[in-house]
Amino acid sequence: MKSLATLIKFQKTKVDEQRLMLAKAQDALTSIEQMIARLEEQKREEQKAAKAHPEDAITYGEFVKRAIKKGHELERQKQISIAAVNAAHDKLTELFEEQKRFEIAEASRIEAQDREDRRVETAELDEIGGVVHERRK
């Protein structure tokens, strides 16, 4: 039954494609998390600079407003990215389970075919043995 083998191969391709999509989603999430970390580091550096040079602290307030706004946007993007990673992971799990079902069905089919082949072979050998026994009598 070649179609089941073809279906398994096709399913493996879909699983591989989904793994790539999951990896891309995870990379995007990592990138956003790194951007958040850099923003936090910039906030700390600006705060130190404002304390060290009070005459330049006038621009610190505007920086904080922009940093907070950017932080909220990055957190929103992070939540979207987390949802995308979870969806991609769920889809990968579903595709992999389907692939395993096909593989199990194929293994069962092969095992059943092997049993049938052995049964036919045993029946043929029994018949040959019976004929040989009858000829010897």
Side-chain angles (χ1 to χ4, degrees):
M1 185 178 219
K2 188 168 175 81
S3 63
L4 196 53
T6 303
L7 189 58
I8 290 170
K9 191 181 275 188
F10 177 68
Q11 191 66 23
K12 284 182 179 182
T13 302
K14 287 171 57 176
V15 168
D16 289 342
E17 289 171 354
Q18 189 61 36
R19 279 187 180 133
L20 289 175
M21 289 178 67
L22 176 60
K24 286 179 183 178
Q26 288 172 331
D27 288 346
L29 177 59
T30 300
S31 175
I32 292 169
E33 288 172 340
Q34 289 172 347
M35 290 169 67
I36 291 171
R38 282 194 299 272
L39 181 62
E40 292 300 320
E41 181 60 30
Q42 285 177 343
K43 284 181 185 178
R44 285 190 292 275
E45 289 174 5
E46 286 294 323
Q47 189 175 27
K48 286 179 188 176
K51 286 181 181 178
H53 304 287
E55 64 278 358
D56 295 335
I58 296 172
T59 60
Y60 178 69
E62 189 60 35
F63 168 79
V64 170
K65 287 178 190 177
R66 284 193 325 264
I68 289 172
K69 186 176 178 181
K70 187 173 183 177
H72 288 308
E73 177 61 24
L74 287 172
E75 281 299 324
R76 186 184 69 74
Q77 289 177 5
K78 180 180 176 182
Q79 293 307 313
I80 291 169
S81 187
I82 288 171
V85 166
N86 290 338
H89 186 268
D90 291 346
K91 180 71 174 175
L92 177 61
T93 301
E94 177 186 314
L95 289 172
F96 187 72
E97 287 173 355
E98 191 173 344
Q99 175 188 333
K100 283 299 168 189
R101 281 194 300 274
F102 293 149
E103 289 174 349
I104 290 168
E106 175 71 355
S108 295
R109 186 194 65 77
I110 290 170
E111 185 179 321
Q113 184 64 45
D114 288 346
R115 276 195 312 270
E116 178 61 19
D117 291 347
R118 284 192 304 272
R119 186 193 67 74
V120 168
E121 182 180 1
T122 301
E124 289 173 357
L125 290 174
D126 287 348
E127 186 177 329
I128 291 170
V131 169
V132 170
H133 180 68
E134 285 297 318
R135 286 187 181 167
R136 286 187 182 163
K137 279 188 174 181

Coordinates of all heavy atoms in Angstrom, one line a residue, residues 13-89:
T13 N 7.0 16.0 6.0 CA 7.3 17.3 5.4 C 6.5 18.4 6.1 O 7.1 19.5 6.4 CB 7.0 17.3 3.9 OG1 7.7 16.3 3.2 CG2 7.3 18.6 3.2
K14 N 5.3 18.2 6.4 CA 4.5 19.2 7.1 C 5.0 19.4 8.5 O 5.0 20.5 9.0 CB 3.0 18.7 7.1 CG 2.3 18.8 5.8 CD 0.9 18.2 5.8 CE -0.1 18.7 6.8 NZ -1.4 18.1 6.6
V15 N 5.4 18.3 9.2 CA 6.0 18.4 10.5 C 7.3 19.3 10.5 O 7.5 20.2 11.3 CB 6.3 17.1 11.1 CG1 7.1 17.2 12.4 CG2 4.9 16.4 11.5
D16 N 8.1 19.0 9.5 CA 9.4 19.8 9.3 C 9.1 21.2 9.1 O 9.8 22.1 9.6 CB 10.2 19.2 8.2 CG 10.8 17.8 8.6 OD1 10.9 17.5 9.8 OD2 11.3 17.1 7.7
E17 N 8.1 21.5 8.2 CA 7.8 22.9 7.9 C 7.3 23.6 9.2 O 7.6 24.8 9.5 CB 6.7 23.0 6.8 CG 7.2 22.6 5.5 CD 6.1 22.5 4.4 OE1 4.9 22.5 4.8 OE2 6.5 22.3 3.2
Q18 N 6.5 22.9 10.0 CA 5.9 23.5 11.2 C 7.0 23.7 12.2 O 7.0 24.7 13.0 CB 4.8 22.6 11.8 CG 4.1 23.2 12.9 CD 3.4 24.5 12.6 OE1 2.8 24.6 11.4 NE2 3.3 25.4 13.5
R19 N 8.0 22.8 12.2 CA 9.2 23.0 13.1 C 9.9 24.3 12.8 O 10.3 25.1 13.7 CB 10.1 21.8 13.0 CG 9.7 20.6 13.8 CD 10.8 19.6 13.8 NE 10.4 18.4 14.6 CZ 10.5 17.2 14.2 NH1 11.0 16.9 13.0 NH2 10.1 16.2 15.0
L20 N 10.0 24.6 11.5 CA 10.7 25.8 11.0 C 9.9 27.0 11.5 O 10.4 28.0 11.9 CB 10.9 25.8 9.5 CG 11.9 24.8 9.0 CD1 11.9 24.8 7.5 CD2 13.3 25.2 9.5
M21 N 8.5 26.9 11.3 CA 7.7 28.0 11.7 C 7.8 28.3 13.2 O 7.8 29.4 13.7 CB 6.2 27.7 11.3 CG 6.0 27.8 9.8 SD 4.3 27.4 9.3 CE 3.4 28.8 10.0
L22 N 7.8 27.2 14.0 CA 8.0 27.3 15.5 C 9.3 28.0 15.8 O 9.4 28.9 16.6 CB 7.9 26.0 16.1 CG 8.1 26.0 17.7 CD1 7.1 26.9 18.4 CD2 8.0 24.5 18.2
A23 N 10.4 27.6 15.1 CA 11.7 28.1 15.4 C 11.7 29.6 15.0 O 12.3 30.4 15.8 CB 12.8 27.4 14.5
K24 N 11.1 30.0 13.9 CA 11.0 31.5 13.6 C 10.2 32.2 14.6 O 10.6 33.3 15.0 CB 10.4 31.6 12.2 CG 11.2 31.2 11.1 CD 10.5 31.4 9.7 CE 11.4 30.9 8.6 NZ 10.8 31.0 7.3
A25 N 9.1 31.7 15.1 CA 8.3 32.3 16.1 C 9.1 32.5 17.4 O 9.1 33.5 18.1 CB 7.0 31.6 16.4
Q26 N 9.9 31.4 17.8 CA 10.7 31.5 19.0 C 11.8 32.5 18.8 O 12.2 33.3 19.8 CB 11.3 30.1 19.3 CG 10.2 29.2 19.8 CD 10.8 27.7 20.0 OE1 11.7 27.3 19.2 NE2 10.2 27.0 20.9
D27 N 12.4 32.6 17.6 CA 13.4 33.6 17.4 C 12.9 35.0 17.5 O 13.5 35.9 18.0 CB 14.0 33.4 16.0 CG 14.9 32.2 15.9 OD1 15.3 31.6 16.9 OD2 15.2 31.8 14.7
A28 N 11.6 35.2 17.0 CA 11.0 36.5 17.1 C 10.8 36.9 18.5 O 11.0 38.0 18.9 CB 9.7 36.6 16.3
L29 N 10.3 35.9 19.3 CA 10.1 36.2 20.7 C 11.4 36.5 21.4 O 11.5 37.5 22.2 CB 9.4 35.0 21.4 CG 9.2 35.0 22.9 CD1 8.3 36.2 23.3 CD2 8.6 33.7 23.4
T30 N 12.5 35.8 21.1 CA 13.8 36.1 21.7 C 14.2 37.5 21.4 O 14.8 38.2 22.2 CB 14.8 35.0 21.2 OG1 14.3 33.7 21.6 CG2 16.2 35.3 21.8
S31 N 14.0 37.8 20.1 CA 14.4 39.2 19.7 C 13.7 40.3 20.4 O 14.3 41.3 20.9 CB 14.2 39.3 18.2 OG 14.4 40.6 17.7
I32 N 12.4 40.1 20.6 CA 11.6 41.1 21.4 C 12.1 41.1 22.8 O 12.2 42.2 23.4 CB 10.1 40.7 21.3 CG1 9.6 40.9 19.9 CG2 9.3 41.6 22.3 CD1 8.2 40.4 19.6
E33 N 12.4 40.0 23.4 CA 12.8 40.0 24.8 C 14.2 40.7 24.9 O 14.5 41.4 25.9 CB 12.9 38.5 25.3 CG 11.6 37.9 25.6 CD 11.6 36.4 25.9 OE1 12.6 35.7 25.5 OE2 10.6 35.9 26.4
Q34 N 15.0 40.5 23.9 CA 16.3 41.2 23.9 C 16.1 42.7 23.8 O 16.8 43.5 24.4 CB 17.2 40.7 22.8 CG 17.7 39.3 23.0 CD 18.4 38.7 21.8 OE1 18.4 39.2 20.7 NE2 19.1 37.6 22.0
M35 N 15.2 43.1 23.0 CA 14.9 44.6 22.8 C 14.4 45.1 24.1 O 14.8 46.3 24.5 CB 13.8 44.8 21.7 CG 14.4 44.5 20.3 SD 13.1 44.4 19.0 CE 12.6 46.1 19.0
I36 N 13.6 44.4 24.9 CA 13.1 44.8 26.2 C 14.2 45.0 27.1 O 14.3 46.0 27.9 CB 12.0 43.9 26.7 CG1 10.7 44.0 25.9 CG2 11.7 44.1 28.2 CD1 9.7 42.9 26.2
A37 N 15.1 44.0 27.1 CA 16.3 44.1 28.0 C 17.2 45.3 27.7 O 17.7 46.0 28.6 CB 17.1 42.8 27.9
R38 N 17.4 45.5 26.4 CA 18.2 46.7 26.0 C 17.5 48.0 26.4 O 18.2 48.9 26.9 CB 18.4 46.7 24.5 CG 19.5 45.8 24.0 CD 19.9 46.1 22.6 NE 18.8 45.9 21.6 CZ 18.5 44.8 21.0 NH1 19.1 43.7 21.2 NH2 17.5 44.8 20.1
L39 N 16.2 48.1 26.3 CA 15.5 49.3 26.7 C 15.6 49.5 28.2 O 15.8 50.6 28.7 CB 14.0 49.1 26.4 CG 13.1 50.3 26.7 CD1 13.6 51.6 26.0 CD2 11.6 50.0 26.4
E40 N 15.5 48.4 29.0 CA 15.7 48.5 30.5 C 17.1 49.0 30.8 O 17.3 49.8 31.7 CB 15.4 47.2 31.1 CG 14.0 46.8 31.1 CD 13.1 47.8 31.8 OE1 13.4 48.3 32.8 OE2 12.0 48.0 31.2
E41 N 18.1 48.5 30.0 CA 19.5 48.9 30.2 C 19.6 50.4 29.9 O 20.3 51.2 30.6 CB 20.4 48.1 29.4 CG 21.9 48.4 29.6 CD 22.4 48.3 31.0 OE1 21.9 47.4 31.7 OE2 23.3 49.0 31.4
Q42 N 19.0 50.8 28.8 CA 19.1 52.3 28.4 C 18.4 53.1 29.5 O 18.9 54.2 29.8 CB 18.3 52.5 27.1 CG 19.1 52.0 25.9 CD 18.2 52.2 24.6 OE1 17.0 52.4 24.7 NE2 18.9 52.2 23.5
K43 N 17.3 52.7 30.1 CA 16.7 53.4 31.2 C 17.7 53.6 32.4 O 17.8 54.7 32.9 CB 15.4 52.7 31.7 CG 14.2 52.8 30.8 CD 13.1 52.0 31.5 CE 11.9 52.0 30.6 NZ 10.8 51.2 31.3
R44 N 18.3 52.5 32.7 CA 19.3 52.6 33.8 C 20.4 53.5 33.5 O 20.8 54.4 34.4 CB 19.8 51.2 34.2 CG 18.8 50.3 34.9 CD 19.5 49.1 35.5 NE 19.9 48.1 34.4 CZ 19.1 47.3 33.8 NH1 17.8 47.1 34.2 NH2 19.5 46.5 32.8
E45 N 20.9 53.5 32.3 CA 22.0 54.4 31.9 C 21.6 55.8 31.9 O 22.4 56.7 32.4 CB 22.6 54.0 30.5 CG 23.3 52.6 30.5 CD 23.7 52.2 29.1 OE1 23.5 52.9 28.2 OE2 24.2 51.1 29.0
E46 N 20.4 56.1 31.4 CA 19.9 57.5 31.4 C 19.7 58.0 32.8 O 19.9 59.2 33.1 CB 18.6 57.6 30.5 CG 18.8 57.5 29.0 CD 19.6 58.7 28.5 OE1 19.4 59.8 28.9 OE2 20.4 58.4 27.6
Q47 N 19.2 57.1 33.6 CA 18.9 57.5 35.0 C 20.3 57.9 35.7 O 20.4 58.9 36.4 CB 18.2 56.4 35.8 CG 17.7 56.9 37.2 CD 16.9 55.8 37.8 OE1 17.1 54.6 37.6 NE2 16.0 56.2 38.7
K48 N 21.3 57.1 35.5 CA 22.6 57.4 36.1 C 23.2 58.7 35.5 O 23.7 59.5 36.3 CB 23.6 56.2 35.7 CG 23.4 55.0 36.5 CD 24.4 53.9 36.1 CE 24.1 52.6 36.7 NZ 25.1 51.6 36.3
A49 N 23.0 58.9 34.2 CA 23.5 60.1 33.6 C 22.8 61.3 34.1 O 23.4 62.4 34.3 CB 23.3 60.0 32.0
A50 N 21.4 61.2 34.3 CA 20.7 62.3 34.9 C 21.1 62.7 36.3 O 21.1 63.8 36.6 CB 19.2 62.0 34.8
K51 N 21.4 61.6 37.1 CA 21.9 61.9 38.4 C 23.3 62.5 38.4 O 23.6 63.4 39.3 CB 21.9 60.6 39.2 CG 20.5 60.1 39.6 CD 20.5 58.9 40.4 CE 19.1 58.4 40.8 NZ 19.1 57.2 41.6
A52 N 24.1 62.1 37.5 CA 25.5 62.5 37.5 C 25.6 64.0 36.9 O 26.5 64.7 37.4 CB 26.3 61.6 36.6
H53 N 24.7 64.3 36.0 CA 24.7 65.6 35.4 C 23.3 66.3 35.5 O 22.5 66.2 34.5 CB 25.1 65.6 33.9 CG 26.5 64.9 33.7 ND1 27.6 65.5 34.1 CD2 26.8 63.7 33.3 CE1 28.6 64.7 33.8 NE2 28.1 63.5 33.3
P54 N 23.0 66.8 36.6 CA 21.6 67.4 36.8 C 21.3 68.5 35.8 O 20.1 68.6 35.5 CB 21.7 68.0 38.2 CG 22.8 67.4 38.9 CD 23.8 67.0 37.8
E55 N 22.2 69.1 35.2 CA 21.9 70.1 34.2 C 21.3 69.5 32.9 O 20.6 70.1 32.2 CB 23.1 71.0 33.9 CG 24.3 70.3 33.2 CD 25.2 69.5 34.2 OE1 25.0 69.6 35.4 OE2 26.2 68.9 33.7
D56 N 21.7 68.2 32.7 CA 21.1 67.5 31.5 C 19.9 66.7 31.8 O 19.3 66.1 30.9 CB 22.2 66.5 31.0 CG 23.4 67.2 30.4 OD1 23.3 68.4 30.0 OD2 24.5 66.6 30.4
A57 N 19.4 66.8 33.0 CA 18.2 66.0 33.5 C 16.9 66.5 32.8 O 15.9 65.9 32.9 CB 18.1 66.1 35.0
I58 N 17.0 67.7 32.2 CA 15.8 68.2 31.5 C 15.3 67.3 30.4 O 14.1 67.1 30.3 CB 16.1 69.6 30.9 CG1 16.4 70.6 32.0 CG2 14.9 70.1 30.0 CD1 17.0 71.9 31.5
T59 N 16.2 66.6 29.7 CA 15.8 65.7 28.7 C 15.4 64.3 29.2 O 14.8 63.5 28.4 CB 16.9 65.6 27.6 OG1 18.0 65.0 28.3 CG2 17.2 66.9 27.0
Y60 N 15.7 64.1 30.4 CA 15.4 62.8 31.0 C 13.9 62.5 31.0 O 13.5 61.4 30.7 CB 16.0 62.6 32.4 CG 15.7 61.3 33.1 CD1 16.3 60.1 32.6 CD2 14.9 61.2 34.2 CE1 16.1 58.9 33.2 CE2 14.6 60.0 34.7 CZ 15.2 58.9 34.3 OH 14.9 57.7 34.8
G61 N 13.1 63.5 31.4 CA 11.7 63.3 31.4 C 11.1 62.8 30.1 O 10.2 61.9 30.0
E62 N 11.5 63.5 29.0 CA 11.0 63.1 27.7 C 11.5 61.7 27.3 O 10.7 60.9 26.7 CB 11.5 64.1 26.7 CG 10.9 64.0 25.3 CD 9.4 64.1 25.3 OE1 8.8 64.9 26.1 OE2 8.8 63.4 24.5
F63 N 12.7 61.4 27.7 CA 13.2 60.0 27.4 C 12.4 59.0 28.2 O 12.0 58.0 27.6 CB 14.7 59.9 27.9 CG 15.2 58.5 27.9 CD1 15.5 57.8 26.7 CD2 15.2 57.7 29.1 CE1 15.9 56.5 26.7 CE2 15.6 56.4 29.1 CZ 16.0 55.8 27.9
V64 N 12.1 59.2 29.4 CA 11.3 58.3 30.2 C 9.9 58.1 29.5 O 9.4 56.9 29.4 CB 11.1 58.7 31.7 CG1 10.1 57.9 32.4 CG2 12.5 58.7 32.4
K65 N 9.3 59.2 29.1 CA 8.0 59.0 28.4 C 8.1 58.1 27.2 O 7.2 57.3 27.0 CB 7.4 60.4 28.0 CG 6.9 61.3 29.2 CD 6.5 62.6 28.6 CE 6.2 63.6 29.8 NZ 5.8 64.9 29.3
R66 N 9.1 58.4 26.4 CA 9.2 57.6 25.1 C 9.6 56.1 25.5 O 9.1 55.2 24.9 CB 10.3 58.2 24.3 CG 9.9 59.4 23.5 CD 10.9 59.8 22.4 NE 12.3 59.5 22.7 CZ 13.2 60.4 23.2 NH1 12.8 61.7 23.4 NH2 14.4 60.1 23.4
A67 N 10.4 56.0 26.5 CA 10.8 54.6 26.9 C 9.6 53.8 27.5 O 9.5 52.6 27.2 CB 11.9 54.7 28.0
I68 N 8.8 54.5 28.2 CA 7.6 53.8 28.7 C 6.6 53.4 27.6 O 6.1 52.3 27.5 CB 6.8 54.7 29.8 CG1 7.7 54.8 31.0 CG2 5.4 54.2 30.1 CD1 7.1 55.8 32.1
K69 N 6.5 54.3 26.7 CA 5.6 54.1 25.5 C 6.2 52.9 24.7 O 5.5 52.0 24.3 CB 5.5 55.3 24.6 CG 4.5 55.2 23.5 CD 4.4 56.5 22.7 CE 3.4 56.3 21.6 NZ 3.3 57.6 20.8
K70 N 7.5 52.9 24.5 CA 8.1 51.8 23.7 C 8.1 50.5 24.5 O 7.9 49.5 23.9 CB 9.6 52.2 23.4 CG 10.3 51.2 22.5 CD 11.7 51.7 22.1 CE 12.3 50.7 21.1 NZ 13.6 51.1 20.6
G71 N 8.2 50.6 25.8 CA 8.1 49.4 26.6 C 6.8 48.8 26.6 O 6.6 47.5 26.5
H72 N 5.7 49.6 26.6 CA 4.3 49.1 26.4 C 4.2 48.4 25.1 O 3.6 47.3 25.0 CB 3.3 50.2 26.6 CG 3.2 50.6 28.0 ND1 2.9 49.8 29.1 CD2 3.2 51.9 28.5 CE1 2.9 50.5 30.2 NE2 3.0 51.8 29.9
E73 N 4.7 49.0 24.0 CA 4.6 48.4 22.7 C 5.3 47.1 22.6 O 4.8 46.1 22.0 CB 5.1 49.4 21.6 CG 5.1 48.9 20.2 CD 3.7 48.5 19.7 OE1 2.7 49.0 20.2 OE2 3.7 47.7 18.8
L74 N 6.5 47.1 23.2 CA 7.3 45.8 23.2 C 6.6 44.7 24.0 O 6.6 43.6 23.5 CB 8.7 46.1 23.7 CG 9.6 46.8 22.8 CD1 11.0 47.2 23.5 CD2 9.9 46.0 21.5
E75 N 6.0 45.1 25.1 CA 5.3 44.1 25.9 C 4.1 43.6 25.1 O 3.8 42.4 25.1 CB 4.8 44.7 27.2 CG 5.9 44.7 28.2 CD 6.4 43.4 28.6 OE1 5.7 42.4 28.7 OE2 7.6 43.3 28.9
R76 N 3.4 44.4 24.3 CA 2.3 44.0 23.5 C 2.8 43.0 22.4 O 2.2 42.0 22.2 CB 1.6 45.2 22.9 CG 0.3 44.9 22.1 CD -0.3 46.1 21.4 NE 0.6 46.6 20.3 CZ 0.6 46.0 19.1 NH1 0.0 44.9 18.9 NH2 1.4 46.5 18.2
Q77 N 3.9 43.4 21.8 CA 4.5 42.5 20.8 C 4.9 41.2 21.4 O 4.8 40.1 20.7 CB 5.7 43.2 20.1 CG 5.3 44.4 19.2 CD 6.5 45.0 18.6 OE1 7.6 44.6 18.8 NE2 6.3 46.1 17.9
K78 N 5.4 41.3 22.6 CA 5.8 40.0 23.3 C 4.7 39.1 23.5 O 4.8 37.9 23.3 CB 6.5 40.4 24.6 CG 7.0 39.1 25.4 CD 7.7 39.5 26.7 CE 8.1 38.3 27.5 NZ 8.7 38.7 28.8
Q79 N 3.5 39.7 23.9 CA 2.3 38.8 24.2 C 1.8 38.2 22.9 O 1.5 37.0 22.8 CB 1.2 39.7 24.8 CG 1.6 40.1 26.2 CD 2.0 39.0 27.2 OE1 1.3 37.9 27.2 NE2 3.1 39.2 27.9
I80 N 1.9 39.0 21.8 CA 1.5 38.5 20.5 C 2.4 37.3 20.1 O 2.0 36.3 19.6 CB 1.4 39.6 19.4 CG1 0.3 40.5 19.8 CG2 1.3 39.0 18.0 CD1 0.3 41.8 18.9
S81 N 3.7 37.6 20.3 CA 4.7 36.6 19.9 C 4.6 35.3 20.8 O 4.7 34.2 20.2 CB 6.1 37.2 20.1 OG 7.1 36.3 19.6
I82 N 4.3 35.4 22.0 CA 4.1 34.3 22.9 C 2.9 33.5 22.4 O 2.9 32.2 22.3 CB 3.9 34.7 24.4 CG1 5.2 35.2 25.0 CG2 3.3 33.5 25.2 CD1 5.1 35.8 26.3
A83 N 1.8 34.2 22.0 CA 0.6 33.5 21.5 C 1.0 32.8 20.2 O 0.5 31.6 19.9 CB -0.5 34.5 21.2
A84 N 1.8 33.4 19.3 CA 2.2 32.8 18.1 C 3.1 31.5 18.3 O 2.9 30.5 17.7 CB 3.0 33.8 17.2
V85 N 4.0 31.6 19.3 CA 4.8 30.4 19.7 C 3.9 29.3 20.2 O 4.1 28.1 19.8 CB 5.9 30.8 20.7 CG1 6.5 29.6 21.3 CG2 6.9 31.7 20.1
N86 N 3.0 29.6 21.0 CA 2.1 28.6 21.6 C 1.2 28.0 20.5 O 1.1 26.7 20.5 CB 1.2 29.2 22.7 CG 1.9 29.5 23.9 OD1 3.0 29.0 24.2 ND2 1.4 30.4 24.7
A87 N 0.7 28.8 19.6 CA -0.1 28.2 18.5 C 0.8 27.4 17.6 O 0.3 26.3 17.1 CB -0.7 29.4 17.7
A88 N 2.0 27.8 17.3 CA 2.9 27.0 16.4 C 3.2 25.7 17.1 O 3.3 24.6 16.5 CB 4.1 27.8 16.1
H89 N 3.5 25.7 18.4 CA 3.8 24.5 19.2 C 2.6 23.6 19.2 O 2.8 22.3 19.0 CB 4.2 24.9 20.6 CG 4.7 23.7 21.4 ND1 3.8 22.9 22.1 CD2 5.9 23.2 21.5 CE1 4.5 22.0 22.7 NE2 5.8 22.1 22.3

